[in-house]
Amino acid sequence: RVAGVRLADGALLQAPAVVLTTGTFLGGRLFAGEWEERGGRYGERAAGAISASLAGFGIRLGRHKTGTPPRLARGSIDFARLEQQHGDDPPQPFSFRTRELPVARAGQMVCWHTHTNATTHAIIREHAHLSPMFQGRIQGTGPRYCPSVEDKVVRFADKQSHLIFLEPEGRDSDEIYPNGISTSLPAEVQERFLRTIAGLEEVRVLRPGYAVEYDYVITDQIRGDLQIAALAGLFAAGQINGTSGYEEAAGQGLVAGVNAARFAQDEAPVVIDRATAYLGVMIDDLCRVNPTEPYRMFTSRAEFRLLLRSDNADRRLLPLAQRLGLVDAGFAAQVAAKEQRVRAAQRLCDTVRRDGRTLTEWLRRPEVGVEELEGACESLAAIALSPAERSELEAEIKYAGYIARQEVEVARLRRLEHKRIPPEFDYALVPGLSAESRQRLSQRRPLTLGEASRVQGVRQPDVQLLLVLLQKSDWPKRSPDSPDAAGVGR
């Protein structure tokens, strides 16, 4: 098990649990044209010794790649030639606890968009052979959904242009981030193709774009609590787990941090299932398969997405947040009051009739919304639903049949999903368990039967056998003479 972290200067930080959030720094290398050096980000050193340490414990590593666009000087861009791109109106906060966004007072910053063109593409094609990706110097796989501009030009040769969003990096920053043209071409080529783009004819490049190649932990070694199975107390979050994207990393950081704290206090881990939150879908996807490319979270990956709506996240996750001590009493009361309003409105819709139909039956019609019903029913209007609560009520009623069907599937899933496997369970003693299942389960040591069912190579009959044994209170969990009695990596 982990004992702490030794720093580069030899100092030892003792810790019962460690969370690795290495981003692109783990064995990182930077590339742009012929230029290449170690680093996790421009001007910052890579973390090289960690990779060797992990490999020394038998932890398998892979290589991924990402990239970033050049940064442009705001004053050198002709914005008058570009189309403005405004944000959401009104802007939506990430948290239910945010009552008002400061941007609502200060005003949102504007983005702009422009496009590459045939001349841009010709320059990129002419110099594509100078890209380290096309030279074979980069071995890692890049993200499917945000390829480099040279990759887009070569792979989608029929496209006449590609969209670029020009995004200010901050209110007090002179830097503009041209989203859509990450590149690792030589700096002089970058400047040349940029100046063929509308609005960028006189652009000044503050920092060229570059590619980053880095190590990640092959994800069949990660458990549902984001602990690395081979080394007790070692947790990982973000790009080290094969993901790509800020939101994905932030979500994993929360789960890994919570579980590291619980591990340090000898408390049971928190494993979020696929029917509870998108966090559960993402982590289960990572544990179940080895992504061959950086993973992004999409709503289409969730089979229960009618239940995992953004409007009900506070009501859906409040019990877990309260159990973990992550919300205060004031917020809990706010969510409870919202729940009461929505449920009261639902009961009213089920009982009040207009023109021979209940309000629920009216609301099931696609062209009817809650606001129209409030105009016809004073009792409903008196509940004073907020716009977000109206949207939630509509979703609950219009999709009620589909939601009920998904809830039946969820109940079936949870019978397996939440069946805990004791840490001392001895797979070597299970009669009839296939040799591959025994080996993979002993190596992985899944936390629940649901997680065990998704370990590659584990058959469904093996899962049923484990279920029967787990229901026997006298089943011997671990023999002191079994080959894996000491645990993997301990």
Side-chain angles (χ1 to χ4, degrees):
R1 60 174 295 163
V2 75
V5 179
R6 189 176 300 281
L7 303 182
D9 63 2
L12 179 64
L13 305 179
Q14 294 182 323
V18 172
V19 183
L20 290 177
T21 56
T22 51
T24 59
F25 287 74
L26 192 63
R29 294 195 74 85
L30 312 179
F31 299 85
E34 294 301 317
W35 172 74
E36 177 181 340
E37 68 179 42
R38 292 185 180 277
R41 188 164 46 219
Y42 187 79
E44 299 186 42
R45 291 188 303 167
I50 297 178
S51 293
S53 178
L54 293 174
F57 285 108
I59 296 169
R60 292 171 288 121
L61 303 176
R63 292 287 273 179
H64 274 167
K65 168 254 179 191
T66 189
T68 191
R71 302 308 197 270
L72 313 178
R74 182 195 296 263
S76 66
I77 298 173
D78 184 1
F79 292 110
R81 300 195 53 201
L82 305 179
E83 185 176 346
Q84 290 188 353
Q85 184 74 28
H86 295 276
D88 291 342
D89 186 20
Q92 296 298 310
F94 277 101
S95 173
F96 289 96
R97 285 178 283 193
T98 302
R99 309 309 298 167
E100 182 187 13
L101 286 167
V103 71
R105 296 191 301 272
Q108 292 196 72
M109 296 189 72
V110 174
C111 296
W112 298 264
H113 64 233
T114 184
H115 295 81
T116 62
N117 53 57
T119 305
T120 316
H121 295 187
I123 293 172
I124 291 172
R125 273 194 297 268
E126 180 186 352
H127 297 90
H129 66 284
L130 300 177
S131 167
M133 182 178 65
F134 290 103
Q135 292 175 344
R137 287 160 50 210
I138 296 177
Q139 302 299 317
T141 306
R144 175 186 298 268
Y145 300 100
C146 45
S148 66
V149 67
E150 54 264 35
D151 199 18
K152 287 194 280 192
V153 167
V154 171
R155 284 172 52 198
F156 308 108
D158 56 319
K159 297 288 184 182
Q160 298 303 305
S161 67
H162 294 286
L163 182 63
I164 304 168
F165 289 94
L166 298 177
E167 304 170 352
E169 293 227 337
R171 293 185 184 276
D172 302 320
S173 173
D174 186 47
E175 291 191 11
I176 296 292
Y177 184 101
N179 194 339
I181 51 170
S182 66
T183 180
S184 58
L185 286 167
E188 60 275 14
V189 177
Q190 293 184 37
E191 184 169 324
R192 186 176 162 195
F193 79 66
L194 282 167
R195 292 190 169 189
T196 67
I197 296 169
L200 306 184
E201 290 86 354
E202 303 296 327
V203 75
R204 182 162 53 89
V205 177
L206 298 176
R207 186 169 68 249
Y210 57 90
V212 190
E213 189 181 42
Y214 56 93
D215 291 335
Y216 73 98
V217 172
I218 294 175
T219 58
D220 65 3
Q221 303 164 104
I222 300 168
R223 305 194 320 185
D225 58 352
L226 292 185
Q227 187 172 186
I228 295 177
L231 193 56
L234 182 62
F235 296 80
Q239 284 173 286
I240 189 174
N241 287 347
T243 60
S244 173
Y246 299 115
E247 296 82 3
E248 288 85 349
Q252 291 173 73
L254 174 62
V255 174
V258 163
N259 279 311
R262 293 179 70 83
F263 180 90
Q265 299 174 80
D266 291 324
E267 295 177 347
V270 173
V271 178
I272 303 173
D273 67 37
R274 300 180 70 89
T276 297
Y278 278 102
L279 281 176
V281 176
M282 173 177 63
I283 293 171
D284 185 62
D285 282 350
L286 293 173
C287 294
R288 185 164 44 89
V289 297
N290 288 322
T292 57
E293 60 196 33
Y295 175 95
R296 296 303 300 263
M297 182 71 250
F298 296 107
T299 55
S300 59
R301 297 191 192 275
E303 59 271 46
F304 304 119
R305 51 189 174 274
L306 275 178
L307 304 179
L308 306 183
R309 305 191 312 274
S310 59
D311 60 22
N312 69 6
D314 52 351
R315 295 160 56 208
R316 172 165 39 89
L317 294 170
L318 179 65
L320 175 60
Q322 285 180 303
R323 181 160 64 89
L324 298 175
L326 298 178
V327 292
D328 58 32
F331 179 71
Q334 174 187 321
V335 176
K338 172 186 174 182
E339 172 81 18
Q340 289 176 349
R341 287 192 297 272
V342 173
R343 292 304 170 213
Q346 270 187 310
R347 288 193 296 271
L348 205 62
C349 289
D350 288 341
T351 55
V352 173
R353 290 182 172 272
R354 286 289 182 271
D355 298 329
R357 293 178 178 173
T358 64
L359 298 185
T360 292
E361 289 170 329
W362 278 108
L363 195 53
R364 282 177 182 155
R365 299 170 68 115
E367 72 276 9
V368 176
V370 173
E371 287 186 84
E372 292 95 316
L373 296 183
E374 288 176 333
C377 178
E378 291 184 5
S379 299
L380 183 60
I383 295 175
L385 296 172
S386 69
E389 290 164 357
R390 290 192 193 108
S391 174
E392 191 166 348
L393 177 63
E394 285 190 25
E396 294 279 354
I397 290 177
K398 289 183 184 295
Y399 301 105
Y402 299 102
I403 290 171
R405 193 179 306 166
Q406 288 201 350
E407 287 173 341
V408 170
E409 295 174 14
V410 168
R412 188 182 305 121
L413 167 72
R414 282 182 172 156
R415 281 196 291 272
L416 281 181
E417 196 63 44
H418 293 297
K419 187 67 177 176
R420 293 277 180 176
I421 301 176
E424 69 275 15
F425 190 92
D426 193 348
Y427 298 100
L429 299 179
V430 179
L433 196 64
S434 71
E436 183 179 7
S437 289
R438 181 177 289 112
Q439 178 186 8
R440 290 185 180 276
L441 291 168
S442 296
Q443 178 187 42
R444 178 64 173 274
R445 306 217 61 85
L447 298 173
T448 66
L449 203 56
E451 187 182 339
S453 70
R454 292 183 294 275
V455 173
Q456 188 177 9
V458 174
R459 306 174 307 175
Q460 197 57 38
D462 295 330
V463 176
Q464 295 301 323
L465 178 58
L466 293 176
L467 177 60
V468 171
L469 293 175
L470 288 170
Q471 291 170 338
K472 294 183 177 181
S473 59
D474 60 343
W475 169 251
K477 304 299 190 300
R478 184 183 292 278
S479 164
D481 300 322
S482 65
D484 66 339
V488 179
R490 300 190 183 188

